[in-house]
Amino acid sequence: MNILLWLAYKGTDYAGFQVQPNGVTVCETLQNAMEAVLGCRPDVKGCSRTDAGVHARRFALNFHYDGRVPAEKLVPALNAHLPPAIRVLEARPAAEAFHARYAAHAKTYRYYLLNARVDDPFTFDTCHRVAGHLDEAAMQAAADALVGRHDFLALCASGSSAAAHGDTVRTITACTVQRRGDRVCITVTADGYLYNMVRILAGTLVQVGLGKLSAGDIPGILASRDRRRAGPTLPAKGLVLENVLYEEETNS
Amino acid sequence: MNILLWLAYKGTDYAGFQVQPNGVTVCETLQNAMEAVLGCRPDVKGCSRTDAGVHARRFALNFHYDGRVPAEKLVPALNAHLPPAIRVLEARPAAEAFHARYAAHAKTYRYYLLNARVDDPFTFDTCHRVAGHLDEAAMQAAADALVGRHDFLALCASGSSAAAHGDTVRTITACTVQRRGDRVCITVTADGYLYNMVRILAGTLVQVGLGKLSAGDIPGILASRDRRRAGPTLPAKGLVLENVLYEEETNS
């Protein structure tokens, strides 16, 4: 039986989703809970490898198992074996061939900014603070210039495998900047992302918000394919994977 | 020089505000920062003793010092010596006789509920989850019945000194219940509070929200002056001191 599982997690204390040698990951923590509940340790296919410190409000993954524990019992059973920073939101049977990574046709990320002179103790782990005033209208104009099918090599961390293979064209279908009081958030939906792309995109929009770059600079930055022309990579802690979009036929 | 300082803090890892033998408190952590910045350890008068695990979005305190470090420099200097869970928001000179506790004529607390079947990793430390559906209109009707000058002994933890002294009349000037999606919050403003009063008040409104008590029961519960008639004491983690109100003459 192939199961689609939706997770939410606060990534502060994890070395990302994917199992890796240094640091505890979300995936191995989940596999420990699976072992306790299912008596086996399924191979987990995550929708994405989130970096250390990045969070997820809706992260999808799938795994195959013998179905001994019914899908509807998985949510409370796994949550009973997981720390509060990781919660299973939903579990349901998926088509046998469904793969959480390959079937995803778009993902939405949000970068959370606090535009204030003092940090907020309640969102310190989930927001990046910018002290200088951010002009959110200028940021939205720059965001508009990023929407579409482009070569995003300028917004890609150097040394990525996609860059080495010349596979750096992606399509951003939506990019919005919203302010509510001293909170500014950048929401991006794309068919795929290059390494650190959202954190560099957010860093570039912040430069625009501070008046150090303008919306008119964006096309030239993209055309340059030069990482040094874009803004800085903002910290992982402000980044949240908000949702993953699948076709309807995801269902079994 | 008498200084009024406004703090925000996430109380999860603190044994309340006030210095006490078991566990690290917000006050002693602040005094350590003061010692580093001012070279002395001022006596701090907090507006309230919040319990272990309770949070504050605006907590007022005052202290006297020689004025060697100007008030406007205190905010960045103290924050540089404080952990992220405690932030100084504002520091300004106050009238010499101003006392943060005695001068407070009202305080606003908010109790945060998550009305959902699964916890939220992002607000696990600052929300209490209730799985059963909460009827917020019924809760508001019960909240309305609490507004006014009443003997709140039924909403006071047993063994409190106010109860022992028969000093249990307080005035609630506003009590509102608001839902936004799966978040429900209860906001109370009163001239003073008995021990655990907001947590018991919230527990009583939750019983109403679940249909186990009704708004019509509230006058009888208050008149009984019997703690056992009210709802349970909800966990400290959902409670936030939102603001403290002072008269204008607070200013020097």
Side-chain angles (χ1 to χ4, degrees):
Chain A
M1 183 179 260
N2 191 11
I3 293 284
L4 164 60
L5 210 76
W6 287 95
L7 288 186
Y9 58 83
K10 187 176 173 200
T12 312
D13 298 328
Y14 296 95
F17 180 79
Q18 203 78 1
V19 174
Q20 55 134 292
N22 36 328
V24 176
T25 64
V26 174
C27 186
E28 73 185 89
T29 307
L30 174 66
Q31 286 176 313
N32 292 344
M34 286 173 160
E35 199 158 353
V37 169
L38 306 173
C40 63
R41 201 172 173 88
D43 188 28
V44 165
K45 284 101 172 177
C47 62
S48 149
R49 300 162 174 250
T50 60
D51 284 341
V54 172
H55 319 284
R57 216 173 299 274
R58 280 180 70 75
F59 183 103
L61 59 90
N62 74 291
F63 66 96
H64 288 82
Y65 82 121
D66 61 10
R68 214 172 0 154
V69 178
E72 67 274 16
K73 297 226 166 130
L74 287 173
V75 177
L78 290 171
N79 281 334
H81 287 86
L82 286 166
I86 305 176
R87 292 289 94 183
V88 177
L89 304 175
E90 196 185 327
R92 58 185 173 83
E96 209 46 33
F98 172 76
H99 186 293
R101 182 165 171 209
Y102 303 133
H105 68 86
K107 292 190 200 98
T108 299
Y109 279 94
R110 196 167 276 168
Y111 199 92
Y112 290 83
L113 299 161
L114 173 63
N115 195 196
R117 285 193 311 155
V118 177
D119 278 310
D120 173 11
F122 296 98
T123 56
F124 182 75
D125 292 331
T126 53
C127 246
H128 170 62
R129 183 170 65 84
V130 175
H133 177 73
L134 292 172
D135 175 346
E136 69 272 19
M139 292 169 75
Q140 182 62 65
D144 292 343
L146 290 165
V147 172
R149 183 174 157 86
H150 299 290
D151 183 336
F152 286 104
L153 183 58
L155 303 186
C156 178
S158 57
S160 89
S161 71
H165 291 88
D167 169 29
T168 54
V169 175
R170 297 291 184 275
T171 301
I172 293 184
T173 50
C175 187
T176 57
V177 179
Q178 287 170 295
R179 176 185 283 274
R180 213 168 90 189
D182 56 9
R183 307 280 158 169
V184 175
C185 72
I186 299 166
T187 311
V188 197
T189 300
D191 60 349
Y193 296 89
L194 306 177
Y195 190 51
N196 278 352
M197 180 168 150
V198 185
R199 291 163 59 184
I200 297 170
L201 181 155
T204 305
L205 294 190
V206 164
Q207 294 298 90
V208 173
L210 294 171
K212 294 177 185 170
L213 285 174
S214 79
D217 295 327
I218 300 293
I221 292 171
L222 291 179
S224 76
R225 304 177 75 240
D226 182 352
R227 168 70 190 89
R228 293 165 303 178
R229 297 274 304 272
T233 306
L234 297 191
K237 70 174 190 169
L239 184 59
V240 179
L241 171 59
E242 293 282 335
N243 203 7
V244 189
L245 301 177
Y246 295 107
E247 301 293 346
E248 281 306 312
E249 59 263 38
T250 300
N251 297 295
S252 64
Chain B
M1 181 180 264
N2 192 9
I3 294 282
L4 165 59
L5 209 74
W6 288 95
L7 288 186
Y9 58 83
K10 187 177 170 197
T12 312
D13 299 327
Y14 295 95
F17 180 78
Q18 202 80 2
V19 174
Q20 55 133 292
N22 36 327
V24 175
T25 64
V26 174
C27 186
E28 73 184 270
T29 307
L30 175 65
Q31 286 176 313
N32 292 345
M34 287 175 158
E35 198 157 355
V37 169
L38 306 173
C40 64
R41 200 173 175 88
D43 189 26
V44 164
K45 283 101 173 178
C47 62
S48 147
R49 302 163 174 246
T50 60
D51 284 341
V54 171
H55 320 283
R57 216 174 299 274
R58 281 181 69 77
F59 183 102
L61 59 91
N62 74 293
F63 65 96
H64 288 82
Y65 81 122
D66 62 11
R68 214 174 357 156
V69 178
E72 67 274 16
K73 297 227 165 129
L74 286 175
V75 178
L78 290 171
N79 281 335
H81 287 86
L82 286 167
I86 305 176
R87 293 289 93 184
V88 176
L89 304 174
E90 196 186 326
R92 57 186 173 81
E96 209 46 32
F98 171 76
H99 187 293
R101 183 166 168 206
Y102 303 132
H105 67 89
K107 291 190 200 101
T108 299
Y109 279 95
R110 195 167 277 168
Y111 199 93
Y112 290 82
L113 298 162
L114 171 63
N115 194 196
R117 285 192 310 155
V118 177
D119 279 310
D120 174 12
F122 297 97
T123 57
F124 182 74
D125 291 333
T126 54
C127 246
H128 169 62
R129 182 171 66 85
V130 175
H133 177 73
L134 292 172
D135 175 347
E136 68 272 20
M139 291 169 75
Q140 181 63 65
D144 292 343
L146 290 165
V147 171
R149 184 175 157 86
H150 299 290
D151 183 336
F152 285 104
L153 184 58
L155 304 186
C156 177
S158 56
S160 90
S161 72
H165 292 88
D167 170 29
T168 53
V169 174
R170 297 290 184 277
T171 301
I172 292 182
T173 51
C175 188
T176 58
V177 179
Q178 288 171 294
R179 175 185 283 273
R180 213 167 91 190
D182 57 8
R183 309 279 156 169
V184 174
C185 72
I186 300 166
T187 311
V188 197
T189 299
D191 60 351
Y193 295 88
L194 307 177
Y195 189 52
N196 278 353
M197 180 169 149
V198 185
R199 291 163 59 185
I200 298 169
L201 180 155
T204 305
L205 294 191
V206 163
Q207 294 297 90
V208 173
L210 294 171
K212 294 177 185 171
L213 285 174
S214 78
D217 295 327
I218 300 295
I221 292 171
L222 291 178
S224 76
R225 303 176 77 241
D226 181 353
R227 169 69 191 90
R228 294 166 301 177
R229 296 275 305 271
T233 307
L234 296 191
K237 71 173 189 170
L239 185 60
V240 180
L241 172 59
E242 293 283 335
N243 203 9
V244 190
L245 301 176
Y246 294 108
E247 301 293 346
E248 280 307 310
E249 60 262 37
T250 300
N251 299 294
S252 65

